[in-house]
Amino acid sequence: MKAEHEDMKSYNIGVIRGDGIGPEVTKEALKVMEAVASDEGLEYKLVEYPHSGEHYLKTKELVSDALIDEWRDLDAVLLGAIGHPDVEPGLVERSVILGLRFGLDLYINLRPIKLYSEHLCPLKDKEPEDIDFVVVRENTEGIYSQIGGHFKKGTPDEIALVNGVYTWKGCERASRYAFELADRRKSTKGPKVTLVDKANAIRPHDIWTRVFAQVAKDFPGVETDHAYVDACCMWMVKNPEWFDVIVTTNLFGDIITDLGAMIQGGMGIAASGNIHPGKTSMFEPIHGSAPKYAGKNVACPLGAISAVAMMLDFLGETQAATRVESAISELLGSGEVPSADARSGIATDAMGDMVVARL
Ligand code: IPM
Ligand code: MG
């Protein structure tokens, strides 16, 4: 990690290892990061943060506004997984994960769905070239707005309300990101952006329809398509080859990317970038803390390692990013990894070593 030139940038990377399998997969991700950085002459410093459900149980500490401000000065944050069975559901997830997303205005949640090898796919007759698309999930609005609450809670007259918030600005920047991405990807099946919403039943979703149509005018070379979210789930299973870039709401993006993870080989491999172009962004595997596998050295670290590749790409370290991505791709293509999950028979740390060996 020595800088060869004085003007070389040293990155400050925040690390939140988190709960459950989070620390184990993060360790492997950082192992790969260290290996590729030393080869490429990249310099970086890790700043560790203990925030997790476990930490909350010991200290009652959640993420404060001051901490969010501190994070603004980092180049990126790498997160393992958050969620502890003894903590009220979602409390720490909202504080840390949504705290980062909302606090740093990480308006894009970028989730590539890529099948690296046929043997990982649960769908019949689908090959790597059939499953290669990216979901651009709007990451700061929708029904995640936290605007709402309970009235007469705990009584027979209880009312629970939640507001879906869709702003022109929010839809516009997500749509524009999706079109720019499609334009860059130059996929042979497109370039194409598919808008996924539920504007038939949820009429206010037509703000997406209108924004999308307007943004599309700036990208004459990019085809447009549309699917209601229920149909999108069907197409993802039946004809995943139709998709190039999908842009969708926060909640729908959450749901369809779990489905996406399954068709690309499992939660163990899927990664995501929570991005505000040009500002501190956060990278994480999309899986949770999987408490039942914690401390057993069986969790698949490929999602976390893939998050490192996305982080390097975001930082502009394209060559390092490509090397990590290719190492994962070669490893999975080799057939040495029977499945990208806890049942692969390959230990978490051994899998990390296998990626490093292929860098
Ligand atoms: C995800 C997760 C989070 C979400 C949870 C943990 C709040 O499911 O990153 O997909 O809903 O976004
Ligand atoms: Mg999710």
Side-chain angles (χ1 to χ4, degrees):
M1 284 191 282
K2 272 229 179 68
E4 282 172 13
H5 312 284
E6 285 197 358
D7 59 349
M8 186 179 265
K9 180 156 177 29
S10 171
Y11 298 108
N12 288 318
I13 312 288
V15 179
I16 306 171
R17 296 172 194 253
D19 292 302
I21 61 170
E24 293 163 72
V25 297
T26 306
K27 188 168 171 223
E28 298 316 304
L30 291 173
K31 185 195 274 177
V32 174
M33 172 90 180
E34 195 181 326
V36 77
S38 89
D39 268 15
E40 295 286 325
L42 303 182
E43 209 183 313
Y44 65 96
K45 208 170 72 219
L46 299 179
V47 191
E48 300 271 352
Y49 294 94
H51 300 80
S52 65
E54 179 109 29
H55 181 71
Y56 173 77
L57 286 174
K58 282 191 221 136
T59 63
K60 291 282 168 291
E61 191 191 351
L62 291 169
V63 172
S64 63
D65 290 348
L67 189 59
I68 301 270
D69 282 336
E70 186 179 323
W71 285 341
R72 269 183 238 288
D73 294 330
L74 298 167
D75 292 291
V77 176
L78 187 68
L79 183 138
I82 302 287
H84 194 290
D86 301 338
V87 182
E88 173 199 321
L91 179 73
V92 186
E93 291 89 324
R94 286 195 305 279
S95 171
V96 180
I97 302 177
L98 300 188
L100 275 157
R101 291 179 187 167
F102 297 163
L104 298 179
D105 195 27
L106 306 178
Y107 61 89
I108 297 299
N109 194 326
L110 192 64
R111 300 190 156 184
I113 312 291
K114 187 169 164 52
L115 177 65
Y116 289 98
S117 173
E118 205 177 327
H119 77 281
L120 299 171
C121 187
L123 305 179
K124 201 152 45 88
D125 304 328
K126 296 297 176 193
E127 292 167 24
E129 57 264 36
D130 296 322
I131 301 179
D132 184 5
F133 59 97
V134 185
V135 177
V136 174
R137 165 185 177 187
E138 196 294 318
N139 211 26
T140 52
E141 310 189 333
I143 214 157
Y144 280 60
S145 71
Q146 315 291 312
I147 300 175
H150 299 83
F151 183 51
K152 300 187 181 176
K153 192 169 183 175
T155 76
D157 297 328
E158 175 166 352
I159 296 172
L161 283 177
V162 58
N163 286 291
V165 174
Y166 307 95
T167 66
W168 190 275
K169 173 181 164 183
C171 300
E172 211 270 344
R173 60 190 185 173
S175 299
R176 188 164 297 280
Y177 189 96
F179 276 95
E180 281 167 0
L181 178 63
D183 211 23
R184 269 202 314 277
R185 270 169 60 87
K186 302 223 179 331
S187 160
T188 49
K189 47 191 170 181
K192 177 165 82 175
V193 182
T194 305
L195 170 63
V196 170
D197 59 41
K198 192 66 190 172
N200 51 353
I202 306 170
R203 212 40 209 138
H205 273 189
D206 89 313
I207 187 174
W208 278 97
T209 319
R210 287 176 288 121
V211 171
F212 183 82
Q214 195 184 80
V215 174
K217 287 191 194 141
D218 295 337
F219 298 86
V222 179
E223 223 183 290
T224 60
D225 202 354
H226 171 261
Y228 294 124
V229 65
D230 46 351
C232 172
C233 291
M234 171 187 71
W235 297 126
M236 277 174 70
V237 172
K238 197 166 183 283
N239 293 102
E241 63 277 8
W242 287 358
F243 296 113
D244 176 11
V245 175
I246 287 177
V247 62
T248 192
T249 69
N250 205 343
L251 180 65
F252 294 163
D254 176 48
I255 297 168
I256 67 171
T257 52
D258 268 30
L259 175 58
M262 294 321 290
I263 66 171
Q264 72 175 131
M267 295 301 278
I269 174 118
S272 72
N274 297 263
I275 294 172
H276 186 128
K279 296 201 179 158
T280 314
S281 295
M282 185 268 276
F283 299 83
E284 54 174 341
I286 88 163
H287 63 67
S289 60
K292 74 171 179 182
Y293 296 122
K296 298 198 169 126
N297 198 23
V298 294
C300 179
L302 293 175
I305 295 170
S306 189
V308 162
M310 292 184 80
M311 180 172 79
L312 288 166
D313 187 60
F314 167 80
L315 293 171
E317 300 297 344
T318 319
Q319 184 162 311
T322 308
R323 285 184 61 186
V324 176
E325 161 82 14
S326 308
I328 295 172
S329 172
E330 266 179 44
L331 175 62
L332 292 174
S334 74
E336 279 172 56
V337 179
S339 64
D341 57 26
R343 282 172 296 278
S344 70
I346 301 171
T348 309
D349 53 359
M351 190 90 86
D353 293 340
M354 288 163 99
V355 175
V356 169
R358 285 193 149 77
L359 278 175

